[in-house]
Amino acid sequence: VRTLEILPGEVVFIDQTALPAVERYVHCHTWQEVAGCIADMTVRGAPAIGVAAAGGLALAAATAAAGGADSAGFEAEMERAAEGLLATRPTAVNLRWAVEQMRAAWRACSGAPGDCAQRLLARAHAILDDDIERCLRIGAHGAPLFAPGARILTHCNAGALATAGYGTALGVIRSAAAMHAGISVLVDETRPWLQGARLTAWELAVEGIPYHVISDNMAGHFFSCGEIDAVVVGADRIAVNGDTANKIGTYTVSVLAKEHGVPFYVAAPLSTVDLSLASGAGIPIEERDPAEVTSFHGHQVAPVGAAARHPAFDVTPAANVTAIITEAGVLRPPFAPALVGVCGAAEGCRS
Ligand code: MRU
């Protein structure tokens, strides 16, 4: 599934708010439009919003260069765009990682703004291509962890839609299904945004991988009946000790998995690792509009005016994580030395 494209003068997203009912594409021509698409979740998923931000910065560079900015004006405009993009969503560190990659590129560019804009477009393309490569490697490392016939539970959407392509957790499931017969998936619907029911189910249907959607409160039942062999989820930020922020509800699933002795895998590229945070306590948790909780896919279900809370992510403690599947291999506890080791070798993490 081609979910995101960076073109000269244009960044194109499949509209994830409209899927699966409508398959339409949104064309952004300014960094402000890209920021709007990240904030309103037209594009979502940690790696995808990082790649989107890189595309947004390429647009900012092209606009500044076309407007005749001198070097100082160009840099000022790039900083303004970077801050605007960073302000959209706080939890996924991939967004910050990608902005920092682009910032390093414009600071290293001593040419005219037009040349720097070209280089930044090339850098954004490289970040996109690199994300797909990372996901393919995550899939290859993760697939052997599963046995033929494995019944896998996943939460939210960590598929092609959430990345530049292929996916992290769903990429592992794709690779496992290609390697083994009989892989099937239980898909948590993932209230309130329904990323599981709308997006993961859509991707699995396209791939022809057998699945059942369940409402989030059914997961415990299926664990207790022995119908789940493994869990694999994506991540928005992993602290150096292995504590992992992911979509709200992931923590609950991890507790169930631990209680039932089921392996709980996190699949993520190293651009999701934040070496600057000792533990998950430092991860900022996005609070979204409570109206998204009091309604169901746009339809009001709670009394009008009902008070509600809406943390969009939670933190799964490292103690509940069996392994972290990265492009550099499968990491086991204790995670701190393992993460520091692969981050140092790959220079792919935020430090
Ligand atoms: O709010 P979202 O839909 O952007 O949250 C997405 C998730 O929590 C994903 O599981 C995570 O970003 C990993 S995507 C490969």
Side-chain angles (χ1 to χ4, degrees):
V1 181
R2 195 71 185 167
T3 56
L4 199 169
E5 267 190 297
I6 298 173
L7 303 166
E10 184 172 72
V11 179
V12 186
F13 304 114
I14 194 166
D15 184 350
Q16 298 195 42
T17 65
L19 285 172
V22 180
E23 198 173 319
R24 68 171 174 234
Y25 290 82
V26 176
H27 297 250
C28 296
H29 300 99
T30 64
W31 72 260
Q32 290 92 338
E33 287 172 3
V34 171
C37 283
I38 297 172
D40 72 10
M41 305 216 351
T42 299
V43 58
R44 48 141 300 279
I49 64 175
V51 174
L57 287 168
L59 292 178
T63 307
D70 61 11
S71 291
F74 181 80
E75 178 145 2
E77 184 50 29
M78 293 308 296
E79 284 301 335
R80 195 168 78 86
E83 291 312 315
L85 288 157
L86 284 171
T88 53
R89 299 194 74 191
T91 303
V93 78
N94 310 65
L95 175 59
R96 183 164 288 279
W97 176 86
V99 167
E100 284 168 4
Q101 296 288 310
M102 294 293 282
R103 183 180 274 136
W106 79 68
R107 287 191 177 161
C109 183
S110 54
D115 295 335
C116 294
Q118 284 303 322
R119 281 194 208 183
L120 286 164
L121 179 61
R123 187 73 193 95
H125 280 146
I127 288 172
L128 185 153
D129 293 342
D130 179 57
D131 186 67
I132 297 174
E133 271 303 305
R134 289 173 187 240
C135 287
L136 290 168
R137 291 208 298 275
I138 290 168
H141 286 302
L145 295 170
F146 302 88
R151 297 157 301 175
I152 305 171
L153 180 130
T154 192
H155 190 76
C156 195
N157 171 267
L161 291 166
T163 60
Y166 201 71
T168 57
L170 210 44
V172 168
I173 291 172
R174 284 197 161 90
S175 298
M179 179 179 270
H180 308 293
I183 296 289
S184 65
V185 187
L186 276 182
V187 180
D188 272 354
E189 72 174 345
T190 318
R191 278 278 287 145
W193 260 81
L194 306 178
Q195 289 94 332
R198 294 190 304 107
L199 307 177
T200 298
W202 182 74
E203 288 199 41
L204 288 168
V206 169
E207 291 283 322
I209 299 172
Y211 70 90
H212 290 97
V213 176
I214 59 171
S215 61
D216 299 330
N217 53 358
M218 294 175 189
H221 169 74
F222 287 106
F223 275 108
S224 71
C225 294
E227 292 193 34
I228 300 173
D229 300 309
V231 177
V232 58
V233 295
D236 287 82
R237 195 183 298 226
I238 302 174
V240 73
N241 71 344
D243 289 354
T244 296
N246 192 48
K247 179 50 54 194
I248 191 74
T250 303
Y251 168 64
T252 317
V253 174
S254 80
V255 173
L256 285 165
K258 194 172 188 180
E259 169 71 16
H260 293 280
V262 170
F264 181 95
Y265 299 114
V266 171
L270 295 178
S271 52
T272 309
V273 176
D274 188 347
L275 291 182
S276 76
L277 294 182
S279 79
I283 298 177
I285 299 295
E286 177 183 6
E287 286 269 349
R288 292 187 66 86
D289 186 350
E292 293 172 351
V293 173
T294 53
S295 59
F296 184 84
H297 205 35
H299 301 285
Q300 179 78 22
V301 286
V304 174
R309 292 285 309 276
H310 186 184
F313 300 93
D314 58 26
V315 176
T316 295
N320 292 5
V321 178
T322 307
I324 302 174
I325 308 165
T326 74
E327 67 272 35
V330 177
L331 311 182
R332 305 266 177 187
F335 292 117
L339 286 169
V340 170
V342 290
C343 285
E347 290 179 357
C349 312
R350 182 183 184 227
S351 52

